Amino acid sequence: VPPDFLAKFRDSQTNVMIADSAISLGRVATECDFAITNGTHGTVAAMLRAGVPTLNFPLTLEQQIFCDRVSNCGMGIT
């Protein structure tokens, strides 16, 4: 991602954050109201533990199966 693109979001007052390095999912979960993920177990689990609903776009069969279960329980949308 070009640095000027990242700077545009870093310096603005938008509700979007683009991270260019590792971040604490626990911290993110306490600061967000909704998460859009690619369906990885760690990310989705961290959000759900904090009570944050998820919109999941799984990339693999295993992620699809996991996200289907999350959706079936009413804790997210796949």
Side-chain angles (χ1 to χ4, degrees):
V1 178
D4 57 331
F5 181 82
L6 291 174
K8 180 171 63 171
F9 285 97
R10 188 174 293 122
D11 299 333
S12 69
Q13 296 297 322
T14 67
N15 292 327
V16 175
M17 178 187 162
I18 299 176
D20 59 349
S21 62
I23 57 175
S24 166
L25 287 179
R27 180 178 173 199
V28 170
T30 64
E31 295 180 3
C32 72
D33 298 315
F34 181 74
I36 301 171
T37 80
N38 67 349
T40 60
H41 181 266
T43 302
V44 175
M47 296 302 132
L48 296 180
R49 278 194 308 268
V52 177
T54 60
L55 173 60
N56 305 301
F57 294 93
L59 303 176
T60 66
L61 176 61
E62 291 81 3
Q63 291 171 348
Q64 181 69 52
I65 293 168
F66 173 63
C67 291
D68 285 346
R69 296 300 304 151
V70 170
S71 293
N72 290 341
C73 293
M75 297 183 291
I77 300 170
T78 301

